[in-house]
Amino acid sequence: MLTRAMALAPGESARAKAEGKTLAMDEESFRIVYERTARPLWAYLARVSGDPALADDLLQETYCRFLSLSDPPQEEAHRKNYLFRIATNLLRDHWRAIQRHGETAIETADIPSQDHEMANVPLRSDLGRALAKLKPRERQLLWLAYAEGASHREIAKTSGMKEASIRPLLFRARKKLLALIGGATLETEKA
Amino acid sequence: MMKHKGCENEVRILEALGQGVATEAMEEPLRRHIADCASCAEVVSVYELFQYDSEQLCAAAPLPNAGRVWWRATLAARRAAAERALRPILIVEKAALAIGSGVLLALLVLAAPWLAEQVRHSNAFTGNVVYSFPLSSFIVTSVVVCLLLMAGALYTMWAEK
C-alpha cells in the first residue's frame, strides 16, 4: 500500500519518464490536461456514484485509459467529452460488477486512501441527498445537462443512449428530483 | 406548450446556459418566455442549483496528485507491454499443447488394436512380446511418457495461472 505523500524514487522516476514515451502524451502536457479537466470530472463521478472514494479510484482509472489511447483527442471540448465518456463507462462497469459479483471492478490495492480528506467534501447537500435517491442513469443525465451544460447530442454520446430519448428522460428525472427536493429547499440552497 | 417532455424552448435555454449565457443576457423573447413559462423557469432554477453544487464540489475536490496518476498510467502501460510481449509465448504454448494432444490421440488410435490384442493375450507380455514386438513396446512406452509429460505441462500451466 502506498502512502499519499509518496514520491517516485529517482530510478523509478527515470524509468517512468522513459516509459512515458509509450503513453499518449508527455508528463507536462498531461499535467495541463489534468489541471483543466480533473475537478469537474471528479465532481461528476462523486455525485453520480455518491461515493468520493470510488470517484477518486475511477478518476485515476479514467486518466489511465485516456493516456493509453493511441490517438487521444486534441481539441479541448472533444477531449473533455471523451473523458466523461470513459468515466461513464467505468461507472457502468462498476455497477455491473457489483450486480454480478458484489465486488468492485477497479483494482484498488495500489491506490492510497484519502478518507481523511473526503470528510470535507460537501456531498451531503440537499441536492446530493435527493440525487442519491434517483437511478444512476437519471443522476448522470441531470449532472451532464445541468452541471456540465452538455447538449442532448453530447449527453447521448457520453451515455450511449439515443439522442431522441434524452429529452423525455431528462424531463422525468428533473420532475423526480424536484419532487424529492421540494421548491422551498431549491430557493434556500441557491441563496 | 407543456407536454410530457416539457416546454419546447427548454433545449434552447439549456444550450444557451451551457454556453455560458446568463439569463439576463439572453435574447428578449427568450427572457420573456422564461418569465412566463413555469417549466422553463424551473430549468433555469435547476441549472443554477447544479452550477452552485458543482462549484462547491469542484472547490473541495480532494484530487489525486497528477504525478501519481501519471505514475499509475506508466505502471499500467508497463503491465500491458509485458502482456503483449508474453502473448506470442502463450500462443506457442497453446499450439504445442493442441499439437501434442492431437499426436497423442493419433497414437492412441493407431495403437488401440495392438493394445486390445495384448489385453486379450495377456500372457504374451510375460515372455515373447519384448522380442516379438519391440516397436510396439516402444510406442506404448512413448505414449506413457507423453501422457506423463502432458500431465506435468498441464499442472505447470494451471499452477502459473
Side-chain angles (χ1 to χ4, degrees), chain A residues 2 4 8 12 15-16 19-20 22-23 25-27 30-31 34 38-40 42-43 47 56-57 59-61 63-64 67 106-107 111-112 114 117-118 120-123 125 127 131 142-143 145-147 149 151-152 167-168 170-171 174-175 177-178 181 186 189-190, chain B residues 1-12 14-20 38-81 84:
Chain A
L2 301 163
R4 204 181 74 75
L8 297 183
E12 191 72 12
R15 199 186 309 161
E19 279 166 1
T22 62
L23 297 175
M25 57 180 73
D26 62 77
E27 191 170 358
F30 171 70
R31 275 181 196 279
Y34 187 79
R39 285 187 185 277
W42 188 90
R47 264 292 173 254
D56 191 62
D57 296 348
L59 180 89
Q60 294 189 48
E61 185 61 24
Y63 283 104
C64 285
L67 282 168
I106 301 296
E107 292 171 23
I111 300 166
Q114 295 195 337
E117 288 187 17
M118 299 296 178
N120 298 323
V121 180
L123 271 179
S125 63
L127 179 63
L131 278 172
L142 286 167
W143 193 266
Y146 295 104
S151 67
H152 288 188
R167 193 174 156 200
L170 198 55
F171 177 75
R174 193 180 80 222
K175 288 292 171 194
L177 179 79
L178 287 172
I181 266 186
L186 196 76
E189 195 153 331
K190 272 193 320 182
Chain B
M1 291 296 276
M2 267 271 283
K3 296 177 184 173
H4 67 288
K5 290 178 179 180
C7 176
E8 283 169 4
N9 286 312
E10 281 179 18
V11 179
R12 275 177 66 201
L14 255 181
E15 271 180 15
L17 290 168
Q19 285 161 11
S39 184
C40 288
E42 199 178 86
V43 167
V44 175
S45 293
V46 172
Y47 182 85
E48 286 171 356
L49 176 62
F50 270 84
Q51 288 298 307
Y52 173 78
D53 191 65
S54 174
E55 277 169 27
Q56 296 281 306
L57 266 184
C58 285
L63 284 185
N65 184 277
R68 204 179 69 199
V69 179
W70 177 262
W71 171 77
R72 192 179 158 183
T74 54
L75 274 188
R78 195 189 299 174
R79 205 179 301 151
R84 271 198 303 276

Side-chain angles (χ1 to χ4, degrees), chain B:
Chain B
M1 291 296 276
M2 267 271 283
K3 296 177 184 173
H4 67 288
K5 290 178 179 180
C7 176
E8 283 169 4
N9 286 312
E10 281 179 18
V11 179
R12 275 177 66 201
I13 292 166
L14 255 181
E15 271 180 15
L17 290 168
Q19 285 161 11
V21 182
T23 324
E24 303 78 40
M26 285 179 194
E27 295 163 6
E28 179 59 27
L30 207 56
R31 257 191 298 156
R32 219 178 301 135
H33 175 79
I34 292 168
D36 294 340
C37 175
S39 184
C40 288
E42 199 178 86
V43 167
V44 175
S45 293
V46 172
Y47 182 85
E48 286 171 356
L49 176 62
F50 270 84
Q51 288 298 307
Y52 173 78
D53 191 65
S54 174
E55 277 169 27
Q56 296 281 306
L57 266 184
C58 285
L63 284 185
N65 184 277
R68 204 179 69 199
V69 179
W70 177 262
W71 171 77
R72 192 179 158 183
T74 54
L75 274 188
R78 195 189 299 174
R79 205 179 301 151
E83 275 171 19
R84 271 198 303 276
L86 279 177
R87 207 172 295 152
I89 297 170
L90 287 174
I91 290 169
V92 169
E93 253 182 23
K94 281 179 186 165
L97 194 69
I99 291 167
S101 306
V103 169
L104 188 67
L105 202 68
L107 279 173
L108 281 172
V109 168
L110 286 173
W114 180 83
L115 282 171
E117 186 74 12
Q118 295 308 309
V119 171
R120 225 178 291 135
H121 307 287
S122 55
N123 57 345
F125 277 101
T126 52
N128 304 334
V129 71
V130 175
Y131 304 104
S132 311
F133 306 105
L135 184 64
S136 306
S137 301
F138 176 72
I139 290 170
V140 170
T141 313
S142 304
V143 166
V144 170
V145 168
C146 276
L147 275 172
L148 285 172
L149 281 173
M150 269 190 65
L154 281 172
Y155 173 76
T156 312
M157 279 178 73
W158 173 80
E160 274 177 5
K161 277 177 188 170

Side-chain angles (χ1 to χ4, degrees), chain A residues 59-121:
Chain A
L59 180 89
Q60 294 189 48
E61 185 61 24
T62 300
Y63 283 104
C64 285
R65 294 202 182 183
F66 179 76
L67 282 168
S68 72
L69 292 173
S70 55
D71 187 20
Q74 298 299 316
E75 203 244 321
E76 197 162 339
H78 191 195
R79 187 190 289 148
K80 185 187 160 196
N81 288 340
Y82 211 93
L83 283 165
F84 272 82
R85 201 186 308 170
I86 298 173
T88 303
N89 289 338
L90 286 173
L91 274 168
R92 196 182 303 140
D93 291 347
H94 173 77
W95 287 319
R96 278 183 189 157
I98 286 179
Q99 278 178 346
R100 278 190 211 136
H101 314 293
E103 61 191 34
T104 56
I106 301 296
E107 292 171 23
T108 54
D110 58 347
I111 300 166
S113 169
Q114 295 195 337
D115 289 347
H116 57 290
E117 288 187 17
M118 299 296 178
N120 298 323
V121 180

Side-chain angles (χ1 to χ4, degrees), chain A residues 31-43:
Chain A
R31 275 181 196 279
I32 294 165
V33 170
Y34 187 79
E35 292 302 324
R36 281 185 192 160
T37 54
R39 285 187 185 277
L41 192 60
W42 188 90

